Amino acid sequence: MMDPKALAALGELLGDRLRTSLETRICYSYDATGKRFLPDAVAHPVDAEEVRRIVLLANRHRFPVVPRGAGSGFSGGSLPVHGGVVLSTERMDRLVAIDTENLYAVVEPGVVTETLKEEARRRGLFYPPDPASLKFSTIGGNIAECAGGMCAVKYGVTRDYVLGLEAVLGTGELVRTGVSTVKGVVGYDLTRMLVGSEGTLGIVTRATLRLVPLPEAAATMLALFPGNREAAGAVNAVVAARVTPSAMELMDRTAIDCVLAVVPIPLPEGTGSALLLEVDGPAPSVARDADRLAEVCRACGAIEVRRASDARGREELWKLRRSISPGLRRLAPVKMNEDIVVPRSRLADMFDFLAGLSARKRVRIVNFGHAGDGNIHVNVMTSGTDADETRRAEEAVEEVFRKTVEVGGTISGEHGIGIAKAPFLEMEVGPLGVSVMKRLKECFDPNGILNPGKIFLSEAAVRG
Amino acid sequence: MKDETLPALTGLCAKCGTCRTVCTLYPERKAEIAVARGKVALLEAALSGDDPDAESVQEALTDCLLCGRCERACPNQVLVEEIIMKGRADLAEEVGIPAWKSILFGKVMASPGATAAARKAAAAGERLLLSRVPTGSGLHYRFPGGLGTGGRTVPELPARGFVESLRKREAASGEVMLFVGCVFDHVFPQVGRAAYETVRASGKSVAVLRDAACCGLPAMVSGDRRSAMTCVEGNLRRLRSADPETIVFPCGSCLLMFRRNIPSLVPKGTPLHEDALWVADRSTDYASFLLASGVVDRLPEPPAGERAGEIGYHDPCHLSGTLGKGPEAREVLRRAAGSGFAEMEGADRCCGYGGTFNVRDYPTSARIGEGKVSLAARGGTKVISTACSGCVLQMRDMAARVDPSLRVVHIAELVAQALARGEGAAPRR
């Protein structure tokens, strides 16, 4: 339990924006992993100064501070695993400015990503990162986890769009990092340190984000293949053809079956794998690129290629990809949701491995993902009520990680480490990597009050 | 908590957070307890013995407009409205129902006589105590700001209700039964009258259910099953024994109550449940009836070019949500008003009424409603038409607050006007 003096001080600072009722604490105890840990209190600061004061109090009284955007993360980043204060950015949701000449936006961390994208769109501009949760996840959360999205294959991920930050470090110091300009190299890149740091080094209170011009047109294509090998081959052939699609999503038969159970989409006989591709840019080049992609797919053995360039038609094609999540839930109640990345050239091998693993461990594994960057969402589905099945599932997950590292990949493409992958951090970065990271953590947060229990496995709880 | 069906219902929630994108209340509250995910989590905690304070959980469940958007957006099809109503009912057994609710919904509105008496008293009260506010829809009276009423306005109440104005043996029986509802009987009898006249234009024999109790929705959503059953029992029995082929509801909320809620309220396997299903099967909304019965074919050509696009249609949550209605009313308006009708800005935004929500948190309800109505007005709409009593009440008040020239009507009033225009003129087909 937290020191009552600390709670009193927080109450004085925040008034009724500090809540300690059990009911409120329950509402901030979970995220999209479905796991639950009760915090001691929930704070809703409205500006950087309040965030700073909360962190200073945390250092004085030694309580954990757990920053939270929409609580929609998949790695446990916003779970208060050691109690303490959940610091919600829900009231820091102002879109401060959009500079249409210099092409950047300044936002508070609680701004919902889709809101920014929409405001940019209205001005003919584009904030590309499009994680699947974009309609409800926040910029702050996206920055903390370096969220990706389907367009990453062409446009990159969140870190590629963060020009500068204002953040409260674990020490309570309010720093400004980075620039508002397109380029800058002035001292160490603190911005990049903070992006993807999962709320363990600092709490973002303002972000300067790069915008690009809105593409003029887009075309979407759904290619159906006999199997993963052909589809993965097509992925590599697209790269070889030097066409950069703005999305390249692969769904294997397990994912397709999931969707078909919920949404009837007619598919040709013998479909074993599907590739959803999108190209964007000036209208003439979009048409040309779409033609080339269709050729490539056919050359790689596509059974059928469907195309659309009007909004409605494109939505129809996207349905297959977007309906996977709801379909998954119907398959089994508990999902271990992994987001590995392998080199594109090893995609086919990885899919073969996953199919074999599923058979060997006798667990259902559904695979789909951003094939364009080798990012596969591996979902191990269990009933949750069979202890042996759960054990086999956990073993399967560990094998997936080992294989991923073995083929030169990484265990998290866009979800972060959080608590979900902390046991495997060392497997990938090695003990020296972990040691260097911990040294940096000491610099930014010597008392270990910011989001303890995340990223590093054996971190003790903050002494309260 | 005792409801055994709740764990299976709440168990479907995957905590993804999608509900946050569509919740009408979330932008006002900016806190997780406002959205479906939070409310479901609270119920899960209560069900699994975490022991949150029952009153606080009830408070959280009550702080909801029941607009249903969360349910429609949910990728796992969690039945949020059912969960919230069951939760409220279950918790009401523990924490009780506020006295004013059980008296108003369970005694006054369950009794036609008491409702009429209350109306008369309120009509006298408003004339004596409140200040007059003329609006495009009619006279309103404003509450003084100080008393926590937030300066709300209420419409001028009539001397007689619609049903009272029927002659003794008029509309006593018929193939079609009109269930007018409390508001379109006692508050806006002109809507009851317009619905009646236009439904009669179908050529079918039309009965109006007299001595109807309130449909029971206000009691049911308050978690007061007992009061709801008091309202429901009499209505069901008399509707069944009247044996109409079709029952027409000008109010979308009443329709939702009869189509969806009553069959789940009444205990299964009882004769009353049979009646509930029988009535539900025959219940239809006003616009669908006009289309199906050919009334629209009797409407004259709408006058061309007249005030193009000034009439809009507001989608009541209760009609457009579970019941999936919307195109029907628009078709009726196109036939009645021609180019006078155009899709209005924010047509499907919730009006913010939420029934008793409007009473428990008027400032928030008014902010949502003012936003809705201002958006429509800025887009050029001068007449907002709709098909739900709550929405009419709310939007008339909102118009009085932000733009008194804006008229708010039930679509039946526009149809009645069109029919009257056609008197003497050749019918369209």
PDB file of all heavy atoms in Angstrom, chain A residues 328-336 361-366 379-397:
ATOM      1  N   LEU A 328     -10.625 -14.251 -34.280  1.00  0.00           N
ATOM      2  CA  LEU A 328      -9.753 -14.969 -33.343  1.00  0.00           C
ATOM      3  C   LEU A 328     -10.469 -15.286 -32.050  1.00  0.00           C
ATOM      4  O   LEU A 328     -10.349 -16.365 -31.489  1.00  0.00           O
ATOM      5  CB  LEU A 328      -8.543 -14.091 -32.983  1.00  0.00           C
ATOM      6  CG  LEU A 328      -7.337 -14.137 -33.893  1.00  0.00           C
ATOM      7  CD1 LEU A 328      -6.265 -13.216 -33.350  1.00  0.00           C
ATOM      8  CD2 LEU A 328      -6.796 -15.548 -33.998  1.00  0.00           C
ATOM      9  N   ARG A 329     -11.208 -14.306 -31.566  1.00  0.00           N
ATOM     10  CA  ARG A 329     -11.864 -14.441 -30.278  1.00  0.00           C
ATOM     11  C   ARG A 329     -12.849 -15.597 -30.280  1.00  0.00           C
ATOM     12  O   ARG A 329     -13.022 -16.292 -29.287  1.00  0.00           O
ATOM     13  CB  ARG A 329     -12.594 -13.140 -29.954  1.00  0.00           C
ATOM     14  CG  ARG A 329     -13.275 -13.155 -28.641  1.00  0.00           C
ATOM     15  CD  ARG A 329     -12.305 -12.854 -27.547  1.00  0.00           C
ATOM     16  NE  ARG A 329     -12.983 -12.958 -26.257  1.00  0.00           N
ATOM     17  CZ  ARG A 329     -12.395 -12.870 -25.094  1.00  0.00           C
ATOM     18  NH1 ARG A 329     -11.109 -12.691 -25.036  1.00  0.00           N
ATOM     19  NH2 ARG A 329     -13.068 -12.964 -23.992  1.00  0.00           N
ATOM     20  N   ARG A 330     -13.485 -15.783 -31.430  1.00  0.00           N
ATOM     21  CA  ARG A 330     -14.464 -16.870 -31.518  1.00  0.00           C
ATOM     22  C   ARG A 330     -13.788 -18.222 -31.513  1.00  0.00           C
ATOM     23  O   ARG A 330     -14.385 -19.214 -31.130  1.00  0.00           O
ATOM     24  CB  ARG A 330     -15.263 -16.739 -32.809  1.00  0.00           C
ATOM     25  CG  ARG A 330     -15.943 -15.426 -32.814  1.00  0.00           C
ATOM     26  CD  ARG A 330     -17.257 -15.412 -33.453  1.00  0.00           C
ATOM     27  NE  ARG A 330     -18.014 -14.350 -32.798  1.00  0.00           N
ATOM     28  CZ  ARG A 330     -19.325 -14.355 -32.653  1.00  0.00           C
ATOM     29  NH1 ARG A 330     -20.009 -15.354 -33.107  1.00  0.00           N
ATOM     30  NH2 ARG A 330     -19.926 -13.353 -32.058  1.00  0.00           N
ATOM     31  N   LEU A 331     -12.536 -18.244 -31.951  1.00  0.00           N
ATOM     32  CA  LEU A 331     -11.825 -19.509 -32.067  1.00  0.00           C
ATOM     33  C   LEU A 331     -11.513 -20.057 -30.683  1.00  0.00           C
ATOM     34  O   LEU A 331     -11.722 -21.241 -30.399  1.00  0.00           O
ATOM     35  CB  LEU A 331     -10.523 -19.281 -32.851  1.00  0.00           C
ATOM     36  CG  LEU A 331      -9.763 -20.496 -33.314  1.00  0.00           C
ATOM     37  CD1 LEU A 331     -10.615 -21.302 -34.268  1.00  0.00           C
ATOM     38  CD2 LEU A 331      -8.483 -20.079 -34.024  1.00  0.00           C
ATOM     39  N   ALA A 332     -10.993 -19.192 -29.825  1.00  0.00           N
ATOM     40  CA  ALA A 332     -10.656 -19.631 -28.467  1.00  0.00           C
ATOM     41  C   ALA A 332     -10.543 -18.393 -27.601  1.00  0.00           C
ATOM     42  O   ALA A 332     -10.175 -17.337 -28.079  1.00  0.00           O
ATOM     43  CB  ALA A 332      -9.324 -20.381 -28.473  1.00  0.00           C
ATOM     44  N   PRO A 333     -10.867 -18.523 -26.320  1.00  0.00           N
ATOM     45  CA  PRO A 333     -10.922 -17.339 -25.462  1.00  0.00           C
ATOM     46  C   PRO A 333      -9.569 -16.730 -25.120  1.00  0.00           C
ATOM     47  O   PRO A 333      -9.482 -15.537 -24.894  1.00  0.00           O
ATOM     48  CB  PRO A 333     -11.607 -17.832 -24.187  1.00  0.00           C
ATOM     49  CG  PRO A 333     -11.633 -19.312 -24.270  1.00  0.00           C
ATOM     50  CD  PRO A 333     -11.397 -19.722 -25.668  1.00  0.00           C
ATOM     51  N   VAL A 334      -8.518 -17.562 -25.052  1.00  0.00           N
ATOM     52  CA  VAL A 334      -7.244 -17.020 -24.601  1.00  0.00           C
ATOM     53  C   VAL A 334      -6.245 -16.997 -25.741  1.00  0.00           C
ATOM     54  O   VAL A 334      -6.063 -17.990 -26.441  1.00  0.00           O
ATOM     55  CB  VAL A 334      -6.660 -17.856 -23.432  1.00  0.00           C
ATOM     56  CG1 VAL A 334      -5.307 -17.309 -23.006  1.00  0.00           C
ATOM     57  CG2 VAL A 334      -7.640 -17.856 -22.264  1.00  0.00           C
ATOM     58  N   LYS A 335      -5.618 -15.853 -25.911  1.00  0.00           N
ATOM     59  CA  LYS A 335      -4.680 -15.749 -27.027  1.00  0.00           C
ATOM     60  C   LYS A 335      -3.349 -15.245 -26.518  1.00  0.00           C
ATOM     61  O   LYS A 335      -3.287 -14.300 -25.744  1.00  0.00           O
ATOM     62  CB  LYS A 335      -5.309 -14.799 -28.066  1.00  0.00           C
ATOM     63  CG  LYS A 335      -4.429 -13.743 -28.640  1.00  0.00           C
ATOM     64  CD  LYS A 335      -5.192 -12.898 -29.639  1.00  0.00           C
ATOM     65  CE  LYS A 335      -5.299 -11.462 -29.169  1.00  0.00           C
ATOM     66  NZ  LYS A 335      -5.749 -10.570 -30.243  1.00  0.00           N
ATOM     67  N   MET A 336      -2.272 -15.943 -26.901  1.00  0.00           N
ATOM     68  CA  MET A 336      -0.913 -15.439 -26.636  1.00  0.00           C
ATOM     69  C   MET A 336      -0.460 -14.786 -27.927  1.00  0.00           C
ATOM     70  O   MET A 336      -0.231 -15.464 -28.930  1.00  0.00           O
ATOM     71  CB  MET A 336       0.014 -16.583 -26.238  1.00  0.00           C
ATOM     72  CG  MET A 336      -0.320 -17.150 -24.865  1.00  0.00           C
ATOM     73  SD  MET A 336       0.659 -18.623 -24.520  1.00  0.00           S
ATOM     74  CE  MET A 336      -0.366 -19.398 -23.273  1.00  0.00           C
ATOM     75  N   LYS A 361       3.131 -29.405 -30.901  1.00  0.00           N
ATOM     76  CA  LYS A 361       2.681 -29.020 -29.562  1.00  0.00           C
ATOM     77  C   LYS A 361       1.175 -29.176 -29.381  1.00  0.00           C
ATOM     78  O   LYS A 361       0.644 -28.930 -28.296  1.00  0.00           O
ATOM     79  CB  LYS A 361       3.051 -27.540 -29.293  1.00  0.00           C
ATOM     80  CG  LYS A 361       4.528 -27.310 -29.145  1.00  0.00           C
ATOM     81  CD  LYS A 361       5.053 -27.959 -27.881  1.00  0.00           C
ATOM     82  CE  LYS A 361       6.508 -27.640 -27.652  1.00  0.00           C
ATOM     83  NZ  LYS A 361       7.042 -28.435 -26.517  1.00  0.00           N
ATOM     84  N   ARG A 362       0.529 -29.544 -30.438  1.00  0.00           N
ATOM     85  CA  ARG A 362      -0.927 -29.730 -30.422  1.00  0.00           C
ATOM     86  C   ARG A 362      -1.641 -28.490 -29.855  1.00  0.00           C
ATOM     87  O   ARG A 362      -2.503 -28.572 -28.964  1.00  0.00           O
ATOM     88  CB  ARG A 362      -1.322 -30.976 -29.600  1.00  0.00           C
ATOM     89  CG  ARG A 362      -0.875 -32.280 -30.259  1.00  0.00           C
ATOM     90  CD  ARG A 362      -1.135 -33.500 -29.369  1.00  0.00           C
ATOM     91  NE  ARG A 362      -0.298 -33.502 -28.184  1.00  0.00           N
ATOM     92  CZ  ARG A 362      -0.768 -33.502 -26.913  1.00  0.00           C
ATOM     93  NH1 ARG A 362      -2.073 -33.495 -26.681  1.00  0.00           N
ATOM     94  NH2 ARG A 362       0.061 -33.493 -25.900  1.00  0.00           N
ATOM     95  N   VAL A 363      -1.237 -27.320 -30.362  1.00  0.00           N
ATOM     96  CA  VAL A 363      -1.972 -26.089 -30.034  1.00  0.00           C
ATOM     97  C   VAL A 363      -2.286 -25.372 -31.341  1.00  0.00           C
ATOM     98  O   VAL A 363      -1.541 -25.470 -32.300  1.00  0.00           O
ATOM     99  CB  VAL A 363      -1.149 -25.135 -29.136  1.00  0.00           C
ATOM    100  CG1 VAL A 363      -1.104 -25.622 -27.705  1.00  0.00           C
ATOM    101  CG2 VAL A 363       0.238 -24.923 -29.679  1.00  0.00           C
ATOM    102  N   ARG A 364      -3.400 -24.620 -31.310  1.00  0.00           N
ATOM    103  CA  ARG A 364      -3.761 -23.881 -32.525  1.00  0.00           C
ATOM    104  C   ARG A 364      -2.944 -22.602 -32.616  1.00  0.00           C
ATOM    105  O   ARG A 364      -2.854 -21.865 -31.641  1.00  0.00           O
ATOM    106  CB  ARG A 364      -5.249 -23.550 -32.499  1.00  0.00           C
ATOM    107  CG  ARG A 364      -6.068 -24.576 -33.234  1.00  0.00           C
ATOM    108  CD  ARG A 364      -7.510 -24.244 -33.214  1.00  0.00           C
ATOM    109  NE  ARG A 364      -8.027 -24.179 -31.852  1.00  0.00           N
ATOM    110  CZ  ARG A 364      -9.317 -24.286 -31.553  1.00  0.00           C
ATOM    111  NH1 ARG A 364     -10.185 -24.488 -32.518  1.00  0.00           N
ATOM    112  NH2 ARG A 364      -9.721 -24.189 -30.309  1.00  0.00           N
ATOM    113  N   ILE A 365      -2.335 -22.391 -33.764  1.00  0.00           N
ATOM    114  CA  ILE A 365      -1.562 -21.163 -33.975  1.00  0.00           C
ATOM    115  C   ILE A 365      -2.079 -20.474 -35.228  1.00  0.00           C
ATOM    116  O   ILE A 365      -2.113 -21.068 -36.300  1.00  0.00           O
ATOM    117  CB  ILE A 365      -0.055 -21.461 -34.138  1.00  0.00           C
ATOM    118  CG1 ILE A 365       0.458 -22.293 -32.956  1.00  0.00           C
ATOM    119  CG2 ILE A 365       0.730 -20.154 -34.244  1.00  0.00           C
ATOM    120  CD1 ILE A 365       1.957 -22.551 -32.984  1.00  0.00           C
ATOM    121  N   VAL A 366      -2.516 -19.224 -35.072  1.00  0.00           N
ATOM    122  CA  VAL A 366      -3.027 -18.449 -36.209  1.00  0.00           C
ATOM    123  C   VAL A 366      -1.991 -17.395 -36.572  1.00  0.00           C
ATOM    124  O   VAL A 366      -1.517 -16.673 -35.696  1.00  0.00           O
ATOM    125  CB  VAL A 366      -4.366 -17.762 -35.840  1.00  0.00           C
ATOM    126  CG1 VAL A 366      -4.867 -16.911 -36.996  1.00  0.00           C
ATOM    127  CG2 VAL A 366      -5.398 -18.812 -35.452  1.00  0.00           C
ATOM    128  N   ASN A 379      -0.339 -15.990 -33.140  1.00  0.00           N
ATOM    129  CA  ASN A 379      -1.320 -16.071 -32.062  1.00  0.00           C
ATOM    130  C   ASN A 379      -1.529 -17.516 -31.652  1.00  0.00           C
ATOM    131  O   ASN A 379      -2.068 -18.306 -32.407  1.00  0.00           O
ATOM    132  CB  ASN A 379      -2.657 -15.484 -32.522  1.00  0.00           C
ATOM    133  CG  ASN A 379      -2.562 -13.996 -32.735  1.00  0.00           C
ATOM    134  OD1 ASN A 379      -2.771 -13.211 -31.819  1.00  0.00           O
ATOM    135  ND2 ASN A 379      -2.221 -13.602 -33.938  1.00  0.00           N
ATOM    136  N   VAL A 380      -1.072 -17.838 -30.449  1.00  0.00           N
ATOM    137  CA  VAL A 380      -1.276 -19.194 -29.937  1.00  0.00           C
ATOM    138  C   VAL A 380      -2.576 -19.175 -29.140  1.00  0.00           C
ATOM    139  O   VAL A 380      -2.700 -18.461 -28.148  1.00  0.00           O
ATOM    140  CB  VAL A 380      -0.103 -19.628 -29.037  1.00  0.00           C
ATOM    141  CG1 VAL A 380      -0.290 -21.067 -28.608  1.00  0.00           C
ATOM    142  CG2 VAL A 380       1.222 -19.462 -29.773  1.00  0.00           C
ATOM    143  N   MET A 381      -3.559 -19.956 -29.607  1.00  0.00           N
ATOM    144  CA  MET A 381      -4.906 -19.893 -29.021  1.00  0.00           C
ATOM    145  C   MET A 381      -5.157 -21.070 -28.089  1.00  0.00           C
ATOM    146  O   MET A 381      -4.929 -22.229 -28.472  1.00  0.00           O
ATOM    147  CB  MET A 381      -5.959 -19.931 -30.136  1.00  0.00           C
ATOM    148  CG  MET A 381      -5.684 -19.023 -31.301  1.00  0.00           C
ATOM    149  SD  MET A 381      -5.720 -17.275 -30.882  1.00  0.00           S
ATOM    150  CE  MET A 381      -7.379 -17.089 -30.310  1.00  0.00           C
ATOM    151  N   THR A 382      -5.626 -20.767 -26.895  1.00  0.00           N
ATOM    152  CA  THR A 382      -5.953 -21.849 -25.947  1.00  0.00           C
ATOM    153  C   THR A 382      -7.296 -21.595 -25.290  1.00  0.00           C
ATOM    154  O   THR A 382      -7.818 -20.487 -25.323  1.00  0.00           O
ATOM    155  CB  THR A 382      -4.896 -21.956 -24.829  1.00  0.00           C
ATOM    156  OG1 THR A 382      -4.842 -20.700 -24.138  1.00  0.00           O
ATOM    157  CG2 THR A 382      -3.526 -22.286 -25.379  1.00  0.00           C
ATOM    158  N   SER A 383      -7.806 -22.644 -24.638  1.00  0.00           N
ATOM    159  CA  SER A 383      -9.100 -22.520 -23.967  1.00  0.00           C
ATOM    160  C   SER A 383      -8.963 -21.795 -22.640  1.00  0.00           C
ATOM    161  O   SER A 383      -9.921 -21.255 -22.118  1.00  0.00           O
ATOM    162  CB  SER A 383      -9.679 -23.906 -23.705  1.00  0.00           C
ATOM    163  OG  SER A 383      -8.834 -24.583 -22.779  1.00  0.00           O
ATOM    164  N   GLY A 384      -7.743 -21.792 -22.095  1.00  0.00           N
ATOM    165  CA  GLY A 384      -7.551 -21.146 -20.797  1.00  0.00           C
ATOM    166  C   GLY A 384      -7.943 -22.017 -19.626  1.00  0.00           C
ATOM    167  O   GLY A 384      -7.667 -21.702 -18.477  1.00  0.00           O
ATOM    168  N   THR A 385      -8.594 -23.138 -19.894  1.00  0.00           N
ATOM    169  CA  THR A 385      -9.071 -23.969 -18.788  1.00  0.00           C
ATOM    170  C   THR A 385      -8.314 -25.289 -18.694  1.00  0.00           C
ATOM    171  O   THR A 385      -8.608 -26.125 -17.864  1.00  0.00           O
ATOM    172  CB  THR A 385     -10.572 -24.295 -18.956  1.00  0.00           C
ATOM    173  OG1 THR A 385     -10.752 -24.880 -20.261  1.00  0.00           O
ATOM    174  CG2 THR A 385     -11.417 -23.038 -18.843  1.00  0.00           C
ATOM    175  N   ASP A 386      -7.342 -25.461 -19.586  1.00  0.00           N
ATOM    176  CA  ASP A 386      -6.604 -26.732 -19.608  1.00  0.00           C
ATOM    177  C   ASP A 386      -5.148 -26.435 -19.300  1.00  0.00           C
ATOM    178  O   ASP A 386      -4.430 -25.918 -20.135  1.00  0.00           O
ATOM    179  CB  ASP A 386      -6.777 -27.358 -21.015  1.00  0.00           C
ATOM    180  CG  ASP A 386      -5.999 -28.651 -21.182  1.00  0.00           C
ATOM    181  OD1 ASP A 386      -5.128 -28.962 -20.330  1.00  0.00           O
ATOM    182  OD2 ASP A 386      -6.273 -29.370 -22.163  1.00  0.00           O
ATOM    183  N   ALA A 387      -4.732 -26.763 -18.087  1.00  0.00           N
ATOM    184  CA  ALA A 387      -3.383 -26.401 -17.635  1.00  0.00           C
ATOM    185  C   ALA A 387      -2.305 -26.994 -18.531  1.00  0.00           C
ATOM    186  O   ALA A 387      -1.292 -26.356 -18.813  1.00  0.00           O
ATOM    187  CB  ALA A 387      -3.180 -26.849 -16.185  1.00  0.00           C
ATOM    188  N   ASP A 388      -2.531 -28.221 -19.016  1.00  0.00           N
ATOM    189  CA  ASP A 388      -1.531 -28.850 -19.867  1.00  0.00           C
ATOM    190  C   ASP A 388      -1.444 -28.123 -21.207  1.00  0.00           C
ATOM    191  O   ASP A 388      -0.348 -27.901 -21.733  1.00  0.00           O
ATOM    192  CB  ASP A 388      -1.856 -30.325 -20.083  1.00  0.00           C
ATOM    193  CG  ASP A 388      -0.697 -31.067 -20.696  1.00  0.00           C
ATOM    194  OD1 ASP A 388       0.330 -31.244 -20.005  1.00  0.00           O
ATOM    195  OD2 ASP A 388      -0.785 -31.426 -21.892  1.00  0.00           O
ATOM    196  N   GLU A 389      -2.608 -27.743 -21.733  1.00  0.00           N
ATOM    197  CA  GLU A 389      -2.627 -27.021 -23.012  1.00  0.00           C
ATOM    198  C   GLU A 389      -1.887 -25.699 -22.851  1.00  0.00           C
ATOM    199  O   GLU A 389      -1.091 -25.316 -23.711  1.00  0.00           O
ATOM    200  CB  GLU A 389      -4.084 -26.768 -23.423  1.00  0.00           C
ATOM    201  CG  GLU A 389      -4.228 -26.149 -24.811  1.00  0.00           C
ATOM    202  CD  GLU A 389      -5.644 -25.660 -25.085  1.00  0.00           C
ATOM    203  OE1 GLU A 389      -6.357 -25.328 -24.120  1.00  0.00           O
ATOM    204  OE2 GLU A 389      -6.016 -25.596 -26.266  1.00  0.00           O
ATOM    205  N   THR A 390      -2.132 -25.016 -21.731  1.00  0.00           N
ATOM    206  CA  THR A 390      -1.465 -23.740 -21.487  1.00  0.00           C
ATOM    207  C   THR A 390       0.047 -23.921 -21.422  1.00  0.00           C
ATOM    208  O   THR A 390       0.814 -23.143 -21.984  1.00  0.00           O
ATOM    209  CB  THR A 390      -1.986 -23.106 -20.184  1.00  0.00           C
ATOM    210  OG1 THR A 390      -3.395 -22.915 -20.307  1.00  0.00           O
ATOM    211  CG2 THR A 390      -1.324 -21.768 -19.913  1.00  0.00           C
ATOM    212  N   ARG A 391       0.462 -24.965 -20.760  1.00  0.00           N
ATOM    213  CA  ARG A 391       1.898 -25.234 -20.660  1.00  0.00           C
ATOM    214  C   ARG A 391       2.482 -25.472 -22.042  1.00  0.00           C
ATOM    215  O   ARG A 391       3.527 -24.908 -22.396  1.00  0.00           O
ATOM    216  CB  ARG A 391       2.143 -26.451 -19.752  1.00  0.00           C
ATOM    217  CG  ARG A 391       3.624 -26.786 -19.514  1.00  0.00           C
ATOM    218  CD  ARG A 391       3.784 -28.126 -18.788  1.00  0.00           C
ATOM    219  NE  ARG A 391       3.050 -29.215 -19.428  1.00  0.00           N
ATOM    220  CZ  ARG A 391       3.467 -29.896 -20.493  1.00  0.00           C
ATOM    221  NH1 ARG A 391       4.624 -29.589 -21.062  1.00  0.00           N
ATOM    222  NH2 ARG A 391       2.727 -30.866 -21.009  1.00  0.00           N
ATOM    223  N   ARG A 392       1.806 -26.272 -22.852  1.00  0.00           N
ATOM    224  CA  ARG A 392       2.302 -26.558 -24.201  1.00  0.00           C
ATOM    225  C   ARG A 392       2.349 -25.272 -25.016  1.00  0.00           C
ATOM    226  O   ARG A 392       3.276 -25.023 -25.795  1.00  0.00           O
ATOM    227  CB  ARG A 392       1.415 -27.587 -24.912  1.00  0.00           C
ATOM    228  CG  ARG A 392       1.413 -28.953 -24.249  1.00  0.00           C
ATOM    229  CD  ARG A 392       0.866 -30.034 -25.179  1.00  0.00           C
ATOM    230  NE  ARG A 392      -0.405 -29.712 -25.806  1.00  0.00           N
ATOM    231  CZ  ARG A 392      -1.607 -29.919 -25.296  1.00  0.00           C
ATOM    232  NH1 ARG A 392      -1.727 -30.439 -24.086  1.00  0.00           N
ATOM    233  NH2 ARG A 392      -2.702 -29.613 -25.964  1.00  0.00           N
ATOM    234  N   ALA A 393       1.345 -24.404 -24.783  1.00  0.00           N
ATOM    235  CA  ALA A 393       1.310 -23.126 -25.507  1.00  0.00           C
ATOM    236  C   ALA A 393       2.501 -22.261 -25.122  1.00  0.00           C
ATOM    237  O   ALA A 393       3.146 -21.655 -25.979  1.00  0.00           O
ATOM    238  CB  ALA A 393       0.001 -22.401 -25.208  1.00  0.00           C
ATOM    239  N   GLU A 394       2.796 -22.211 -23.832  1.00  0.00           N
ATOM    240  CA  GLU A 394       3.939 -21.394 -23.389  1.00  0.00           C
ATOM    241  C   GLU A 394       5.250 -21.938 -23.948  1.00  0.00           C
ATOM    242  O   GLU A 394       6.135 -21.179 -24.345  1.00  0.00           O
ATOM    243  CB  GLU A 394       3.982 -21.348 -21.854  1.00  0.00           C
ATOM    244  CG  GLU A 394       2.902 -20.428 -21.283  1.00  0.00           C
ATOM    245  CD  GLU A 394       2.653 -20.627 -19.801  1.00  0.00           C
ATOM    246  OE1 GLU A 394       3.261 -21.554 -19.211  1.00  0.00           O
ATOM    247  OE2 GLU A 394       1.852 -19.863 -19.247  1.00  0.00           O
ATOM    248  N   GLU A 395       5.342 -23.275 -24.001  1.00  0.00           N
ATOM    249  CA  GLU A 395       6.553 -23.860 -24.595  1.00  0.00           C
ATOM    250  C   GLU A 395       6.650 -23.490 -26.058  1.00  0.00           C
ATOM    251  O   GLU A 395       7.739 -23.199 -26.578  1.00  0.00           O
ATOM    252  CB  GLU A 395       6.526 -25.390 -24.438  1.00  0.00           C
ATOM    253  CG  GLU A 395       6.779 -25.860 -23.017  1.00  0.00           C
ATOM    254  CD  GLU A 395       6.470 -27.345 -22.848  1.00  0.00           C
ATOM    255  OE1 GLU A 395       6.090 -28.002 -23.846  1.00  0.00           O
ATOM    256  OE2 GLU A 395       6.588 -27.828 -21.711  1.00  0.00           O
ATOM    257  N   ALA A 396       5.504 -23.507 -26.720  1.00  0.00           N
ATOM    258  CA  ALA A 396       5.491 -23.153 -28.138  1.00  0.00           C
ATOM    259  C   ALA A 396       5.982 -21.727 -28.335  1.00  0.00           C
ATOM    260  O   ALA A 396       6.789 -21.447 -29.224  1.00  0.00           O
ATOM    261  CB  ALA A 396       4.078 -23.317 -28.709  1.00  0.00           C
ATOM    262  N   VAL A 397       5.499 -20.821 -27.478  1.00  0.00           N
ATOM    263  CA  VAL A 397       5.902 -19.417 -27.591  1.00  0.00           C
ATOM    264  C   VAL A 397       7.409 -19.288 -27.432  1.00  0.00           C
ATOM    265  O   VAL A 397       8.081 -18.590 -28.203  1.00  0.00           O
ATOM    266  CB  VAL A 397       5.170 -18.558 -26.536  1.00  0.00           C
ATOM    267  CG1 VAL A 397       5.827 -17.186 -26.392  1.00  0.00           C
ATOM    268  CG2 VAL A 397       3.709 -18.385 -26.920  1.00  0.00           C
TER     269      VAL A 397
END
